[in-house]
């Protein structure tokens, strides 16, 4: 288990950002998981001393830039989500795999609901249930990462 | 002492027992307020435009990096495309060129003729717009807005508001400029409206995007409006943004319900974003101040004197054949309009073409 340091936080965030920038299109674009938010949640659980709400806000700004929406939408969504991740961080570490998966799903949904509210205020249309697809794919990605041996905190307790 | 204790905790992958810095709630409030302020500034004021542009420019290398895998995949595909495929494509393209050349020859004569007629009418000549060829870099990242990013930007002289067309029709409008790329909002986006004209009868209307599916709407048209299924909609050009006469959409479906004073008209765009990689960014036609004057000066009755004699003679011939027509004084005007169109089409054949009655 390599120690978590600031460098790995930033490298992983940049990688996630490049994943966001990949030229997705069509159905895959609709189902594209929120890579940045997943990485942030991971670091918030794993190393809350390195990554906090401020980091989430800053990363949210980049997400805003990449999606071309109004500045601050993703920033606000990530901030609130990060807050919920941080206040339950100590419990999250104690959770087993399934519980953690469920909580991560709730976090992803939270971010999407906040974005939905902001978009509705900005005059977007009703988006349908496909809007919540990224949360599901996000959780799947989290699960795959766990299967491939990524330490998401839950297992470090069990050792 | 305390620091070394903390470091030990970090190594054990356990969170610090005592929260350092401001509490989570304080951070939440602070950053939420900051986000809200940013949102308000960005949506209402124009302060952040430059910031966004410079940040986008800084991100451009990263974007190119992200596009590389897809690019490599495409290039490899092209490299390994079979001989047969290339041959058939070549054949197709040759045929297409031949066809287009024939149309183009006709267009040249028509343009000359049109210019000549415009001179006769003392009207301004139709302007030719310059255009820049761009390539679609990627579809917009928000799946719920219809946007694409094109690899031409401020450095290529692109201005916000330019029309974007592909081989088959208008696909959208440039809405945001970055130094090296620009964002194009498609005509199917909810926020875009485009002034159109029905090609068949010149009826003007405004087409609105839907956002949800790949269709356009023509709202606020009465139920008795003369639009039929299969009608082609072209840009009217009166907005001063889109050049006139570009294909926009085809009417797919008309629905008239007794409880609404308006018809529900659904159209399908002729241009396709999914199908093409290259697009043309057409510069905004210059609005000349003298254009207005010329229109006012143009006498309305000039149409009739400039007609060929054979054309004017035709209505009489027509009346002779069809005695049922009761309004002889109205006929020449209607006939004249049609005749002008015809005479433009095939000047020397006018006498032989069978005239049809204006009923």
């Amino acid at each position: 288990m390599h120690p978590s340091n600031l460098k790995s936080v930033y490298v992983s965030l940049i990688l996630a950002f490049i994943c966001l920038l990949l030229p997705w299109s069509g159905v895959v674009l609709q189902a594209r998981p929120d890579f940045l938010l997943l990485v942030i949640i991971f670091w918030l659980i794993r190393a809350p001393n390195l990554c906090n709400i401020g980091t989430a806000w800053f990363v949210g700004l980049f997400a805003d830039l990449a999606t071309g929406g109004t500045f601050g939408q993703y920033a606000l969504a990530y901030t609130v989500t990060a807050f919920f991740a941080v206040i339950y961080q100590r419990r999250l570490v104690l959770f087993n795999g399934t519980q953690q998966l469920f909580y991560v799903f709730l976090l992803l949904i939270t971010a999407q609901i906040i974005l939905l509210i902001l978009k509705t205020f900005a005059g977007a249309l009703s988006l349908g249930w496909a809007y919540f697809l990224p949360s599901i794919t996000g959780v799947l990605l989290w699960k795959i990462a766990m299967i491939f041996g990524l330490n998401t905190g839950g297992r470090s307790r069990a050792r | 002492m305390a620091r070394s204790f903390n470091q030990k905790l970090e190594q054990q992958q356990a969170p610090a027992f005592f929260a350092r810095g401001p509490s989570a709630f304080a951070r939440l409030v602070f950053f939420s307020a900051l986000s809200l302020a940013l949102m308000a500034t960005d949506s209402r004021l124009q302060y952040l435009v430059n910031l966004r542009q410079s940040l986008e420019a800084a991100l451009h290398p990263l974007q190119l990096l992200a596009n590389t895998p897809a690019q490599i995949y495409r290039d490899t595909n092209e490299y390994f495309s079979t001989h047969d495929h290339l041959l058939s494509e070549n054949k197709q393209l040759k045929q297409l060129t031949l066809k287009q050349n024939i149309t183009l020859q006709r267009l040249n004569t028509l343009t000359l003729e049109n210019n000549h007629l415009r001179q006769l009418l003392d009207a301004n000549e139709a302007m030719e717009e310059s255009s820049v060829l761009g390539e679609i870099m990627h579809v917009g990242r928000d799946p719920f807005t219809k946007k694409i990013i094109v690899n031409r930007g401020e450095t290529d002289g692109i201005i916000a508001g330019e029309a974007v067309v592909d081989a088959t029709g208008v696909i959208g409008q440039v809405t945001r400029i970055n130094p090296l790329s620009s964002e194009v909002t498609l005509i199917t986006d909810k926020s875009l409206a485009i002034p159109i004209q029905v090609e068949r009868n010149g009826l003007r209307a405004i087409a609105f995007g839907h956002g949800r599916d790949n269709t356009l709407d023509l709202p606020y048209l009465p139920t008795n409006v003369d639009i039929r299924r299969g009608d082609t909609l072209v840009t009217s050009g009166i907005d001063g943004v889109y050049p006139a006469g570009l294909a926009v959409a085809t009417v797919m479906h008309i629905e008239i319900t007794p409880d609404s004073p308006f018809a529900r008209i659904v159209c399908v765009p002729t241009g396709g974003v999914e199908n093409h990689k290259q697009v043309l960014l057409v510069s905004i036609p210059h609005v000349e101040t003298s254009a207005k004057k010329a229109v006012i000066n143009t006498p309305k009755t000039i149409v009739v004197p400039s007609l060929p004699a054979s054309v004017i003679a035709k209505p009489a011939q027509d009346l002779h054949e069809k005695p049922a027509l009761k309004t002889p004084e109205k006929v020449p005007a209607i006939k004249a309009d049609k005749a002008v169109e015809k005479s433009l089409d095939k000047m020397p054949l006018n006498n032989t073409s069978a005239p049809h009655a204006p009923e």
Side-chain angles (χ1 to χ4, degrees):
Chain A
M1 197 171 67
H2 55 85
S4 46
N5 53 16
L6 262 181
K7 204 172 132 193
S8 51
V9 173
Y10 287 126
V11 168
S12 60
L13 279 174
I14 289 171
L15 283 179
F17 191 62
I18 290 176
C19 280
L20 175 71
L21 290 181
L22 286 177
W24 308 89
S25 67
V27 184
V28 190
L29 176 67
Q30 285 204 349
R32 180 196 59 197
D34 198 338
F35 298 106
L36 279 175
L37 188 58
L38 281 170
V39 171
I40 288 170
I41 292 174
F42 172 75
W43 287 117
L44 282 171
I45 295 171
R46 174 80 181 268
N49 51 335
L50 297 177
C51 174
N52 56 34
I53 296 177
T55 321
W57 179 80
F58 195 68
V59 170
L61 279 190
F62 276 91
D64 277 321
L65 191 69
T67 49
T70 318
F71 264 128
Q73 283 184 346
Y74 274 90
L76 181 59
Y78 284 7
T79 303
V80 177
T81 314
F83 171 74
F84 284 119
V86 163
I87 55 168
Y88 288 113
Q89 190 265 336
R90 276 158 221 176
R91 247 170 282 182
L92 267 168
V93 180
L94 297 174
F95 281 169
N96 65 27
T98 322
Q99 285 170 324
Q100 195 186 56
L101 220 54
F102 182 68
Y103 194 72
V104 169
F105 180 66
L106 283 187
L107 287 177
L108 293 175
I109 285 280
T110 311
Q112 286 217 288
I113 289 176
I114 293 164
L115 274 175
L116 182 65
I117 293 170
L118 293 175
K119 277 180 185 169
T120 314
F121 274 134
L125 38 127
S126 56
L127 304 169
W129 287 109
Y131 176 74
F132 292 107
L133 226 54
S135 293
I136 296 164
T137 51
V139 164
L140 285 177
L141 198 65
W142 188 278
K143 180 69 191 169
I144 289 167
M146 277 166 79
I147 290 169
F148 276 92
L150 190 72
N151 190 341
T152 51
R155 273 192 302 178
S156 72
R157 177 73 193 173
R159 251 181 219 173
Chain B
M1 177 66 192
R3 172 161 291 205
S4 66
F5 182 66
N6 267 336
Q7 274 172 355
K8 261 182 196 164
L9 274 182
E10 250 170 52
Q11 278 164 6
Q12 286 168 4
Q13 294 304 318
F17 190 72
F18 296 105
R20 283 167 293 177
S23 74
F25 186 71
R27 284 175 203 237
L28 170 74
V29 171
F30 176 72
F31 285 114
S32 299
L34 214 56
S35 317
L36 288 173
L38 262 180
M39 264 186 270
T41 319
D42 196 24
S43 56
R44 293 276 171 250
L45 309 166
Q46 302 295 316
Y47 297 144
L48 298 179
V49 175
N50 287 332
L51 178 71
R52 187 189 284 272
Q53 277 188 4
S54 44
L55 280 176
E56 289 262 7
L59 283 183
H60 199 255
L62 216 57
Q63 177 65 61
L64 288 183
L65 185 71
N67 279 358
T68 313
Q71 192 70 41
I72 288 173
Y73 173 74
R74 249 198 321 272
D75 288 353
T76 343
N77 254 7
E78 264 175 33
Y79 185 78
F80 285 113
S81 66
T82 59
H83 187 67
D84 282 354
H85 177 74
L86 280 180
L87 272 184
S88 69
E89 197 180 60
N90 197 3
K91 204 172 161 188
Q92 262 183 5
L93 286 176
K94 265 183 187 161
Q95 281 179 355
L96 195 69
T97 323
L98 197 68
K99 273 184 203 164
Q100 280 175 346
N101 267 343
I102 294 165
T103 332
L104 207 62
Q105 280 174 15
R106 203 159 150 266
L107 180 78
N108 279 341
T109 45
L110 279 179
T111 315
L112 277 177
E113 203 172 279
N114 188 19
N115 281 345
H116 182 67
L117 285 172
R118 275 175 177 274
Q119 275 173 10
L120 278 182
L121 291 172
D122 203 18
N124 276 10
E125 286 190 20
M127 277 146 307
E128 277 183 22
E129 293 83 13
S130 62
S131 57
V132 179
L133 185 71
E135 203 166 279
I136 299 175
M137 285 170 82
H138 57 87
V139 182
R141 301 219 175 69
D142 187 352
F144 300 98
T145 55
K146 304 272 182 172
K147 280 172 186 170
I148 51 170
I149 313 297
V150 175
N151 69 343
R152 299 279 168 207
E154 208 175 8
T155 46
D156 303 290
I158 307 295
I159 323 165
E162 287 190 2
V164 180
V165 299
D166 68 359
T168 46
V170 179
I171 62 168
Q173 190 178 15
V174 177
T175 44
R176 188 179 277 154
I177 303 289
N178 297 317
L180 296 167
S181 62
S182 50
E183 182 194 87
V184 176
T185 305
L186 303 178
I187 48 173
T188 44
D189 190 81
K190 194 177 160 250
S191 57
L192 206 70
I194 171 167
I196 54 97
Q197 197 169 21
V198 179
E199 202 179 40
R200 180 169 53 84
N201 56 8
L203 180 90
R204 278 194 290 269
I206 297 176
F208 288 85
H210 235 222
R212 234 164 310 169
D213 44 9
N214 236 359
T215 55
L216 296 176
D217 261 357
L218 292 184
Y220 316 124
L221 286 175
T223 48
N224 62 350
V225 70
D226 182 19
I227 290 182
R228 291 180 213 149
R229 193 161 174 271
D231 271 354
T232 309
L233 309 178
V234 297
T235 48
S236 63
I238 53 170
D239 49 1
V241 171
Y242 299 97
L246 297 172
V248 177
T250 320
V251 177
M252 183 181 65
H253 175 69
I254 301 167
E255 194 180 298
I256 295 166
T257 46
D259 58 339
S260 167
F262 303 116
R264 189 169 165 270
I265 301 167
V266 182
C267 320
V268 191
T270 47
V273 199
E274 278 80 16
N275 317 341
H276 305 286
K277 191 101 179 74
Q278 273 89 17
V279 291
L280 273 184
L281 292 92
V282 186
S283 66
I284 300 171
H286 289 286
V287 182
E288 284 178 34
T289 43
S290 57
K292 235 179 187 174
K293 210 177 74 188
V295 170
I296 295 165
N297 283 343
T298 310
K300 278 175 187 166
T301 49
I302 203 162
V303 181
V304 182
S306 66
L307 283 173
S310 62
V311 175
I312 297 173
K314 252 191 277 170
Q317 201 184 354
D318 225 36
L319 284 174
H320 189 69
E321 286 169 12
K322 302 227 170 190
L325 249 94
K326 289 284 171 6
T327 52
E329 70 274 5
K330 271 192 179 176
V331 174
I334 302 166
K335 206 59 209 174
D337 275 353
K338 287 200 171 169
V340 168
E341 279 175 26
K342 246 185 205 168
S343 64
L344 283 178
D345 232 346
K346 29 190 174 179
M347 276 282 208
L349 296 174
N350 252 332
N351 286 328
T352 51
S353 68
H356 54 106
E359 278 179 23

